Amino acid sequence: MIILVLIGLLGGLITAVSPCILPVLPVVFLAGGPASDASRPAPSANRAVRGAGAARSDVLEADPPVVKQPRNRRPYAVVAGLVISFSFFTLLGVTIVTALGLPEDILRYVGLALLVLIGLGLIFPPVERLLEKPFARIPQRQVNREGGAFVLGLGLGLLYVPCAGPVLAAITVAGAQGHLNLDIVALTVSFAVGTALPLLAFALAGRRVSERIGAFRKRARKLRIAAGGLMIVLALGLALNVTDAIQRALPDHTSAAQKKIEDSKVARQQLSGLYDDSNKELSRCEDGVGELRSCGQAPPVEGISKWFNTPDGAPVDLKRQRGKVVLVDFWTYSCINCQRSLPHIKEWQKAYKDAGLEIIGVHSPEFGFEKKADNVVSQAKKLGVTYPVALDNKLTTWNNYRNRFWPAKYLIDAHGTVRYFKFGEGQYAQTEDLIRELLRDADPSVKLPPRTGQADAELTADRTPETYLNNHNIVGYVGDPLIDDKATTYRFPSDLPLNRLSLDGGWTAGYDYFTAGRDARLAMRYKAKNVNLVLGGRGRVTVLRDGKVVKQLSIDGTPTMHRLIDDKEAHEGRIEVRLTPGMRAYVLTFG
């Protein structure tokens, strides 16, 4: 749990300095400053009165007692209210609203109403006293004084929408589905605290400015009115979605840092354990076992942004496929491993569709460009995919199946039970035999065609592994240190070992891909039969092997895989790729 809390805290800190936080900053700054009118200190003075006719001795009146003013704790009250409100309603808001049958936007409306009331309270003291009245029975007077600030924090917590990331997504999904446990609560509170710490610093800065600068003290009343007006304007801006347009216009300078923290391997492992155990039986079965087993009820195909290759784009409901054998294939179009498995799947569809086999492709993207429906549809058409495909852009179905691999195949029997799954390539003959067995189980009288006869792909022994071209998970890089998100000139090292990659010329090493600059070249020493590179953008590509030009390509359009080397036998050599400036390189794959 300690690691989970740290992930939540760091994720919250990064979120708190992103553009998503901007709408609440002015309000927090001003709210942390001027206290209520009732708490303003009364002036005190030492008065000396010289008695008439008295000698040189001065008769001094006793100084009135100095009353120590209570410290302004409004910043802490505002942030405490925000943390409590955000944590509570993020986890339980959906449950409460659903149980009471209230409109889905009710919490947002309550937050807007509170923001307007607090604004009116800063402008009109009687309204503020009315808001603080519920706190009057609390013994500590200081808590009573800061009741309005706490209510402001509660309102901001209902309206506070941090930039979405894996941590917030895990919290939101758990809250929406009612899957709450101690880990989820710890993650939520630590995330809220992480986002609140910079806000607290900002509120304390506002308090310090109001206390130290004389102009602010003299004009405290006017500042309160200005702060109240700003809160009302913010409420209107949120209601009309004006703040959304402002945020979209600003660059998100924290996205790379957010991904590195929240989407790291450690974070993924920790966050994956937060979900419920409804599909835990899938983890009980083993990958590629050559026999049918019962791996639990097939999870639904849901959270899909779009379907294609179905009548009018209608979704495919697994429950309505009872009586059929279903093959669910997780893939993504630029993955070479997925592409190599597609011929087998297409042949199975052709051979066994009339015998009761239904194939569903679940396209779960690995890169951002693979989320665009037009890209997927066009590339699927080029690859000859004609069976139904679901765009799982939010990876909802991917998570339902506890999947972690591209490609991955799940066989579901006629009763809706997962009986077998295979991760990665290979074992096609075995998978086909099990398909045939399930079809006979579903209909003993079925007449099956001959086996398709496709042999497993012959893979090069000790072939070079897939190599990503991004600063998030690149492995095997040698040469000058990579500089994140900044155009930099690199130089090839004097020696390039096997399975190692290096850069030369101008490159920008980004989170999702490398962008070619002037004289951009990349080189890798590999062992494989073929070499592929996922490229995007527009320009020319020159491919050299062992110093000799072997291919030239013109690239223009959607990022996709391009075959650079295609040999009949495995080859060990040095490949060099020269790219036009502006082109994007995503991943090198080998077969």
Side-chain angles (χ1 to χ4, degrees):
M1 182 181 290
I2 295 177
I3 296 177
L4 200 63
V5 168
L6 288 175
I7 291 171
L9 189 64
L10 291 174
L13 286 170
I14 293 171
T15 298
V17 295
S18 70
C20 305
I21 206 92
L22 289 179
V24 302
L25 284 184
V27 172
V28 171
F29 182 84
L30 292 175
S36 64
D37 291 340
S39 65
R40 294 178 61 185
S44 61
N46 293 335
R47 293 181 299 165
V49 179
R50 186 180 300 277
R56 292 179 59 87
S57 60
D58 294 336
V59 180
L60 299 178
E61 289 187 358
D63 289 343
V66 178
V67 179
K68 184 178 181 181
Q69 297 298 322
R71 190 168 181 79
N72 176 14
R73 293 189 174 88
R74 290 177 64 85
Y76 300 99
V78 172
V79 174
L82 188 149
V83 170
I84 293 172
S85 177
F86 175 79
S87 301
F88 181 82
F89 287 107
T90 298
L91 290 177
L92 296 176
V94 174
T95 303
I96 294 173
V97 169
T98 302
L100 298 177
L102 299 173
E104 294 181 359
D105 289 341
I106 187 65
L107 295 179
R108 175 179 170 83
Y109 295 145
V110 171
L112 291 171
L114 285 177
L115 202 58
V116 171
L117 285 174
I118 294 296
L120 292 174
L122 289 172
I123 298 173
F124 305 106
V127 177
E128 182 180 41
R129 288 193 290 271
L130 182 64
L131 291 173
E132 293 182 348
K133 193 172 183 179
F135 299 88
R137 297 181 179 180
I138 300 178
Q140 291 84 358
R141 294 180 61 193
Q142 186 61 31
V143 175
N144 182 13
R145 294 177 189 273
E146 313 306 351
F150 182 74
V151 174
L152 171 61
L154 294 177
L156 289 176
L158 290 172
L159 300 171
Y160 180 49
V161 183
C163 292
V167 171
L168 185 57
I171 294 170
T172 303
V173 169
Q177 297 179 349
H179 298 158
L180 304 184
N181 53 43
L182 187 58
D183 287 343
I184 282 288
V185 173
L187 182 68
T188 304
V189 174
S190 62
F191 181 83
V193 170
T195 62
L197 288 177
L199 290 178
L200 178 59
F202 213 68
L204 290 173
R207 184 186 73 177
R208 186 175 182 85
V209 168
S210 68
E211 291 176 348
R212 297 300 178 91
I213 299 179
F216 280 82
R217 294 198 301 271
K218 294 177 181 177
R219 297 176 175 84
R221 178 61 188 157
K222 293 180 179 179
L223 284 173
R224 285 170 52 78
I225 294 175
L230 180 62
M231 291 180 192
I232 295 173
V233 169
L234 174 61
L236 292 174
L238 290 170
L240 300 174
N241 295 321
V242 175
T243 54
D244 292 348
I246 296 174
Q247 289 170 321
R248 286 194 299 267
L250 296 172
D252 189 358
H253 52 273
T254 61
S255 59
Q258 184 184 51
K259 289 181 179 179
K260 287 181 180 179
I261 293 296
E262 298 186 35
D263 200 31
S264 65
K265 290 183 179 180
V266 173
R268 286 198 298 268
Q269 291 173 354
Q270 291 291 322
L271 295 177
S272 65
L274 296 177
Y275 301 105
D276 65 271
D277 291 336
S278 59
N279 304 324
K280 193 173 182 179
E281 289 181 325
L282 285 172
S283 301
R284 189 175 61 193
C285 289
E286 298 178 27
D287 166 35
V289 174
E291 62 181 4
L292 295 174
R293 296 184 177 183
S294 178
C295 307
Q297 194 71 13
V301 178
E302 59 185 2
I304 302 303
S305 59
K306 183 178 181 179
W307 285 85
F308 64 91
N309 290 343
T310 63
D312 299 322
V316 177
D317 186 353
L318 282 182
K319 291 183 179 179
R320 295 185 177 181
Q321 304 306 312
R322 299 293 166 80
K324 293 184 178 181
V325 175
V326 179
L327 170 64
V328 176
D329 176 49
F330 287 90
W331 70 296
T332 184
Y333 74 77
S334 72
C335 165
I336 180 60
N337 309 86
C338 301
Q339 291 188 20
R340 280 197 289 258
S341 72
L342 285 178
H344 301 271
I345 297 174
K346 291 187 293 183
E347 286 297 316
W348 295 337
Q349 183 204 29
K350 182 180 177 181
Y352 302 114
K353 182 174 178 60
D354 292 340
L357 176 65
E358 182 72 26
I359 296 177
I360 301 174
V362 179
H363 188 275
S364 302
E366 187 175 8
F367 299 108
F369 62 80
E370 294 171 327
K371 294 182 179 181
K372 296 181 180 178
D374 291 343
N375 290 353
V376 182
V377 172
S378 64
Q379 293 301 312
K381 185 177 181 180
K382 289 181 180 179
L383 294 168
V385 175
T386 59
Y387 48 80
V389 175
L391 271 61
D392 185 30
N393 285 349
K394 297 180 181 179
L395 299 181
T396 303
T397 301
W398 172 281
N399 286 332
N400 284 353
Y401 280 76
R402 296 175 173 262
N403 193 47
R404 290 294 179 268
F405 297 89
W406 291 279
K409 301 167 188 65
Y410 293 78
L411 277 180
I412 303 169
D413 68 16
H415 305 289
T417 301
V418 177
R419 302 294 302 278
Y420 167 86
F421 55 79
K422 172 70 181 96
F423 296 145
E425 298 179 70
Q427 295 181 293
Y428 298 110
Q430 172 181 290
T431 303
E432 183 173 1
D433 286 342
L434 296 178
I435 290 174
R436 295 171 67 90
E437 185 177 342
L438 287 176
L439 289 172
R440 289 194 187 95
D441 290 344
D443 181 6
S445 64
V446 68
K447 294 182 179 180
L448 297 177
R451 288 176 173 79
T452 59
Q454 294 194 100
D456 289 354
E458 182 183 349
L459 302 178
T460 302
D462 301 323
R463 66 173 174 172
T464 297
E466 185 176 47
T467 302
Y468 288 92
L469 301 173
N470 59 62
N471 57 23
H472 171 54
N473 53 12
I474 188 170
V475 176
Y477 172 80
V478 293
D480 299 332
L482 293 174
I483 307 299
D484 292 354
D485 300 314
K486 183 179 180 181
T488 306
T489 300
Y490 298 89
R491 289 290 176 263
F492 285 147
S494 57
D495 181 48
L496 189 60
L498 182 64
N499 298 336
R500 294 294 183 266
L501 167 81
S502 190
L503 302 177
D504 192 89
W507 287 92
T508 300
Y511 182 86
D512 292 316
Y513 51 80
F514 286 178
T515 304
R518 184 177 179 181
D519 299 326
R521 300 187 294 168
L522 65 86
M524 187 163 192
R525 189 167 294 280
Y526 73 96
K527 181 181 180 181
K529 293 172 60 177
N530 52 63
V531 182
N532 313 283
L533 176 59
V534 176
L535 288 170
R538 182 178 184 179
R540 291 190 60 80
V541 180
T542 301
V543 183
L544 297 86
R545 182 167 65 182
D546 299 330
K548 296 180 180 180
V549 176
V550 295
K551 182 174 286 190
Q552 290 186 326
L553 302 171
S554 292
I555 307 299
D556 185 7
T558 302
T560 190
M561 188 201 75
H562 298 274
R563 179 65 55 86
L564 305 183
I565 300 291
D566 193 5
D567 292 335
K568 294 182 179 180
E569 302 294 337
H571 181 89
E572 183 175 325
R574 181 184 188 274
I575 187 173
E576 180 180 316
V577 185
R578 299 176 181 178
L579 303 174
T580 299
M583 298 189 70
R584 303 183 301 276
Y586 292 85
V587 60
L588 277 162
T589 59
F590 304 86

